Amino acid sequence: MATDEEVQSRARALSSPLRLRILRLCLHESRTNKEIADLLDINPATSLHHVRTLLANGFLEAEETRRGNRGAKEVPYRSTKLSWGTKLPDAAPLLVDTFLQEIDGLSPQEIKVIRVGLKLNEETQKEMMSRIHAVIEDYAMRDAAPDGVATSLFVAHHLDLSSTPPTSKHTESAESATKA
């Protein structure tokens, strides 16, 4: 069982869209700090700071050191999937920002979207979200298919403010889980 300090440290480690993107990059393929920096078009020192934060909190693990193209020592990192079960209070803005960064530059044909309006009571809403979470968790925790293509899924459920004003019953603090 994680201590309060560990829970807070993990939440802080996941409070950056850049760190969430690093976890996604290292989910299906080990990546070195240089590879991460190149893919995200950031300075390697900046990348290393974020990699070390994720490593210290158990979200990344270092794999066996290897030699790079020019003989330099390289450490590849892989996501541990710990982020999937980590609760992030008030994570919606962070996850939306991360999602928008990840789809930036994709063509509309590269994004599949489902949008539907629903009118559910609290019990049915909880049932639906629980079932959606269970299906996603089932696929998220499976081993990656060797012939698979890395993709991402973003699901958002929100009040339709144009027809239902928020009430205290519906605006309680929500926690979100993220899977890198």
Side-chain angles (χ1 to χ4, degrees), residues 57-105:
N57 285 281
F59 296 114
L60 285 179
E61 61 186 6
E63 293 187 341
E64 190 173 321
T65 302
R66 63 186 185 204
R67 293 282 173 203
N69 293 340
R70 297 182 181 177
K73 184 174 92 171
E74 294 181 337
V75 179
Y77 301 96
R78 175 77 73 145
S79 172
T80 63
K81 296 187 179 183
L82 176 65
S83 61
W84 177 251
T86 302
K87 300 296 182 188
L88 293 175
D90 303 318
L94 169 71
L95 297 178
V96 169
D97 190 28
T98 303
F99 168 72
L100 292 173
Q101 287 180 27
E102 289 177 334
I103 65 167
D104 187 38

Side-chain angles (χ1 to χ4, degrees), residues 2-158:
T3 66
D4 267 356
E5 187 176 307
E6 289 170 326
V7 169
Q8 290 176 16
S9 180
R10 287 179 180 162
R12 281 191 306 273
L14 294 179
S15 67
S16 159
L18 190 57
R19 290 189 194 129
L20 294 178
R21 294 179 67 201
I22 289 170
L23 288 176
R24 181 62 47 81
L25 289 173
C26 297
L27 180 61
H28 302 294
E29 183 177 339
S30 299
R31 310 253 188 199
T32 66
N33 185 63
K34 181 174 179 354
E35 291 170 333
I36 293 166
D38 289 347
L39 288 166
L40 294 173
D41 196 26
I42 60 174
N43 183 299
T46 300
S47 176
L48 186 58
H49 164 75
H50 292 291
V51 165
R52 286 181 175 163
T53 299
L54 293 166
L55 192 60
N57 285 281
F59 296 114
L60 285 179
E61 61 186 6
E63 293 187 341
E64 190 173 321
T65 302
R66 63 186 185 204
R67 293 282 173 203
N69 293 340
R70 297 182 181 177
K73 184 174 92 171
E74 294 181 337
V75 179
Y77 301 96
R78 175 77 73 145
S79 172
T80 63
K81 296 187 179 183
L82 176 65
S83 61
W84 177 251
T86 302
K87 300 296 182 188
L88 293 175
D90 303 318
L94 169 71
L95 297 178
V96 169
D97 190 28
T98 303
F99 168 72
L100 292 173
Q101 287 180 27
E102 289 177 334
I103 65 167
D104 187 38
L106 294 177
S107 72
Q109 296 78 17
E110 294 173 303
I111 305 169
K112 302 203 177 1
V113 178
I114 298 170
R115 183 172 182 269
V116 62
L118 305 168
K119 190 169 185 179
L120 309 172
N121 63 30
E122 188 174 356
E123 181 182 333
T124 307
Q125 175 186 326
K126 285 181 180 180
E127 175 194 357
M128 179 190 72
M129 294 306 291
S130 176
R131 289 175 63 190
I132 289 170
H133 188 272
V135 168
I136 293 169
E137 184 172 24
D138 173 42
Y139 285 92
M141 298 315 288
R142 292 181 185 189
D143 290 335
D147 61 342
V149 175
T151 62
S152 298
L153 176 67
F154 180 85
V155 177
H157 180 246
H158 60 87

